[in-house]
Amino acid sequence: MKDSAEGARARAVAAIALHAVIEDGRNLDDGFAEAELSELPARDRSFAKALAFGTLRLHLRNAAILSRLLDKPLRRKDAVVTMLMSVALFELTETDAPDYAVVSAAVDATRSVRRPALRKLVNAILRRFQRERDELLNAVGAADEARHGYPAWLLDRLRSDWPDDWEAIAVAGNQQAPLWLRVNTCRTDRDAYREQLEAAGMTVTHAPATMPAAVCLEQAVSVSDLPGFAAGDCSVQDAASQLAAEILDAQPGMRVLDACAAPGGKTTHMLERAENDLQLVALDSSERRLERVRENLQRLQLNADVICGDALNPGVWADGRRFDRILVDAPCSATGVIRRHPDIRFLRRDDDIPSLHDVQLSMLNALWPLLQPGGRLLYVTCSLLATENESVTAEFLNAQPTASHVDITPLLPGTAVHRAYGAQLLPGSGATDGFYYALMERSAD
């Protein structure tokens, strides 16, 4: 257990970051920046981040508990104290930290969030929770929203789209994601790199046949501890994401477009598979995000033409030459990667989904003319929702006479769920994230 001053500050950082997400609608990285996470001693940063991630997964449950303990909600200007108490409830129920130390640190942290006048309230609420713990947990656990930590609108959509799997999906979204690596096959092969990992004391738990560059580690480690990472021997990338390059199968010499390339995982994977022999255009609308693409290309010693441009408006950046392969990793709700980004459940809204559908369909329609006859386009999302996935694919195929659906069954792991168009990987199944894939081929005009 950390001493009082250090523990209080780490909890305050977590609470401020949560406030940025839940009250202000900003992502967790922005919240950490506001909370000055980087100013904490190195040993406390991971502690504060673990508190924030864990509490986000359980905040709706914690909020339901606090609504029973508080006579009335705190004023909006004091909402950061609600977050502080949510952090404490996470610790009291999910960690082995001594109860007295958790309560003491939360009370002390009211000073760090500039609300010392509420220290007695925090103490009283947390001590009452200790007395009524079992009763409160049983009461709020009866509601799906509190039990799973997902907003009602998202649970409703998951029930509708996945009536037999929605609860397993919700449970998987609250688990810590494993560390998947992609071996750079330009430099080594998976078996050889696995030996390096084992020599460094790391255990590989998964190496799927359908993902020939993927290995999953039993325990997550810093990238600085990975053998050869700085030299480009491997990258961090979930196995489900690695399927994109395998399905699209860009061959040496082909002209390829990665239409939403940042941060560059799929871009660099395609290049590695083709021994760096592709005419690859890495496109993204954000110059800031493209810096990550350039960094990854440089570390892995790969080459691509990096362009800042809008995939919805190819007339501005396209040179008139067609592509043999196009990857459309479209903007989406990201509901398939909630276990990695628990803030997503608070940043998305139900009315975002139809708008995302329209953008995704417009992107396919805008990019399809850039594909050569006989060429293939792969539509990818990290969403679990039919409105963004097979509904988009079906609408596009039904309206586009030169497009045909390609069966990708032989390329997928046994955990994939096949749909009328495309296939879905569900989070947690096979230890991967949730991704949707649909492959389409263009006939002659």
Side-chain angles (χ1 to χ4, degrees):
M1 185 66 190
K2 304 184 180 301
D3 68 42
S4 180
E6 292 175 335
R9 181 60 188 143
R11 289 165 175 84
V13 165
I16 294 167
L18 293 175
H19 184 274
V21 172
I22 295 165
E23 295 295 323
D24 298 336
R26 291 182 289 152
N27 66 45
L28 190 54
D29 286 341
D30 288 346
F32 284 136
E34 179 188 334
E36 299 180 340
L37 174 71
S38 62
E39 299 300 313
L40 285 178
R43 61 182 178 175
D44 287 339
R45 288 176 207 154
S46 59
F47 177 55
K49 290 180 75 172
L51 290 177
F53 273 77
T55 306
L56 274 173
R57 295 183 177 110
L58 292 175
H59 178 70
L60 291 176
R61 183 207 68 178
N62 296 345
I65 291 171
L66 291 171
S67 71
R68 291 170 176 263
L69 293 173
L70 290 164
D71 293 333
K72 59 182 179 181
L74 298 185
R75 295 173 297 179
R76 180 172 174 77
K77 71 175 187 175
D78 295 325
V80 69
V81 176
T82 302
M83 305 305 153
L84 190 59
M85 290 189 288
S86 186
V87 170
L89 291 178
F90 164 73
E91 285 195 89
L92 289 169
T93 58
E94 308 300 320
T95 76
D96 58 4
D99 287 4
Y100 73 88
V102 171
V103 175
S104 177
V107 171
D108 288 346
T110 58
R111 297 185 185 280
S112 295
V113 298
R114 300 178 181 178
R115 299 296 189 279
L118 295 177
R119 63 195 315 270
K120 290 184 178 179
L121 173 69
V122 170
N123 183 67
I125 293 297
L126 296 180
R127 292 197 179 282
R128 183 180 165 196
F129 170 76
Q130 291 176 274
R131 295 193 300 271
E132 303 175 19
R133 172 185 174 132
D134 292 343
E135 178 186 345
L136 288 164
L137 289 173
N138 288 335
V140 301
D144 289 339
E145 186 175 4
R147 185 168 71 254
H148 294 300
Y150 279 59
W153 72 266
L154 182 51
L155 287 176
D156 288 344
R157 283 189 177 269
L158 291 175
R159 283 193 200 93
S160 176
D161 291 348
W162 302 100
D164 296 328
D165 301 288
W166 72 269
E167 197 154 19
I169 289 170
V171 170
N174 286 325
Q175 304 301 310
Q176 183 172 346
L179 179 63
W180 281 95
L181 305 178
R182 187 189 79 233
V183 178
N184 183 353
T185 52
C186 282
R187 298 176 59 87
T188 185
D189 62 38
R190 181 164 67 180
D191 289 342
Y193 190 70
R194 181 172 186 161
E195 291 178 3
Q196 292 185 56
L197 291 170
E198 291 171 347
M202 303 174 197
T203 301
V204 172
T205 57
H206 298 279
T210 52
M211 307 162 193
V215 293
C216 184
L217 296 186
E218 183 177 57
Q219 292 186 331
V221 299
S222 170
V223 293
S224 61
D225 294 330
L226 294 170
F229 180 84
D233 287 353
C234 72
S235 298
V236 175
Q237 185 183 19
D238 189 83
S241 176
Q242 293 183 43
L243 274 173
E246 302 299 334
I247 295 170
L248 197 55
D249 192 28
Q251 295 297 304
M254 283 186 171
R255 191 162 192 261
V256 179
L257 171 65
D258 187 348
C260 304
K266 299 178 183 67
T267 296
T268 52
H269 191 192
M270 288 188 287
L271 287 165
E272 288 171 1
R273 288 184 78 256
E275 297 291 329
N276 201 25
D277 184 17
L278 296 175
Q279 302 172 58
L280 193 147
V281 174
L283 180 79
D284 202 89
S285 61
S286 168
E287 185 61 51
R288 179 181 61 83
R289 283 169 50 82
L290 282 173
E291 285 305 308
R292 289 283 308 282
V293 179
R294 295 185 181 96
E295 290 168 4
N296 283 320
L297 288 167
Q298 182 177 12
R299 181 179 65 84
L300 296 166
Q301 302 174 46
L302 300 168
N303 301 310
D305 186 9
V306 180
I307 296 176
C308 187
D310 185 357
L312 292 168
N313 191 13
V316 174
W317 49 265
D319 62 6
R321 296 168 60 205
R322 290 186 173 183
F323 294 91
D324 302 291
R325 297 286 189 269
I326 297 177
L327 174 62
V328 184
D329 186 4
C332 70
S333 64
T335 44
V337 293
I338 282 178
R339 65 180 186 165
R340 294 190 187 277
H341 304 283
D343 50 349
I344 287 168
R345 68 190 80 197
F346 297 104
L347 301 179
R348 298 289 180 268
R349 299 289 183 269
D350 192 31
D351 56 8
D352 293 336
I353 308 307
S355 299
L356 286 166
H357 167 98
D358 293 345
V359 169
Q360 292 151 356
L361 184 60
S362 295
M363 194 171 285
L364 291 178
N365 286 322
L367 295 172
W368 189 254
L370 304 184
L371 188 64
Q372 295 211 74
R376 290 184 168 186
L377 180 150
L378 181 62
Y379 175 59
V380 183
T381 77
C382 56
S383 171
L384 303 173
L385 307 182
T387 300
E388 299 178 88
N389 294 343
E390 55 262 38
S391 294
V392 171
T393 306
E395 193 170 340
F396 174 76
L397 287 169
N398 289 335
Q400 180 50 258
T402 62
S404 60
H405 178 241
V406 179
D407 181 23
I408 58 174
T409 301
L411 304 174
L412 298 174
T415 54
V417 181
H418 298 277
R419 315 300 276 177
Y421 295 110
Q424 180 82 54
L425 272 71
L426 298 176
S429 181
T432 71
D433 289 341
F435 269 74
Y436 171 81
Y437 287 102
L439 184 63
M440 293 164 274
E441 185 170 284
R442 179 169 184 159
S443 63
D445 295 334

